[in-house]
C-alpha cells in the first residue's frame, strides 16, 4: 500500500485532524513519507497518526496552533 515516491521524506501537515488536512496526511503516508500530523485538537491529530501507523506508515500526532 505504501509507495516509494516520498520515501525518506518528512511531511508536516497542518489541519491533519479532519477534512482535507487528514486526507493529505494519509496520502503522504501512502506515498512513503513519515508524517507529522498537526491540528488544534490534539486527539484528532493523534487519531490520524494512529490510522497511518495501523496501515504500516510512520506518524506522530501533534497539538499545534499555527496562528
Amino acid at each position: 500500500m505504501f509507495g516509494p515516491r516520498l520515501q525518506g521524506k518528512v511531511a508536516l501537515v497542518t489541519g491533519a485532524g479532519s477534512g482535507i488536512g487528514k486526507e493529505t496526511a494519509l496520502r503522504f503516508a501512502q506515498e512513503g513519507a513519515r508524517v507529522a500530523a498537526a491540528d488544534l485538537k490534539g486527539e484528532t491529530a493523534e487519531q490520524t497518526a494512529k490510522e497511518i501507523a495501523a496501515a504500516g506508515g510512520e506518524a506522530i500526532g501533534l497539538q499545534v496552533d499555527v496562528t
Side-chain angles (χ1 to χ4, degrees), residues 8-62:
K9 305 287 184 186
V10 176
L12 170 61
V13 182
T14 59
S18 63
I20 294 171
K22 180 175 183 172
E23 293 305 316
T24 300
L26 295 172
R27 181 57 189 241
F28 282 0
Q30 288 174 345
E31 294 293 338
R34 294 184 301 166
V35 177
D39 198 90
L40 276 170
K41 298 177 183 173
E43 57 267 355
T44 60
E46 188 58 39
Q47 182 59 39
T48 299
K50 286 179 182 178
E51 287 181 38
I52 291 169
E58 192 174 338
I60 185 171
L62 305 166

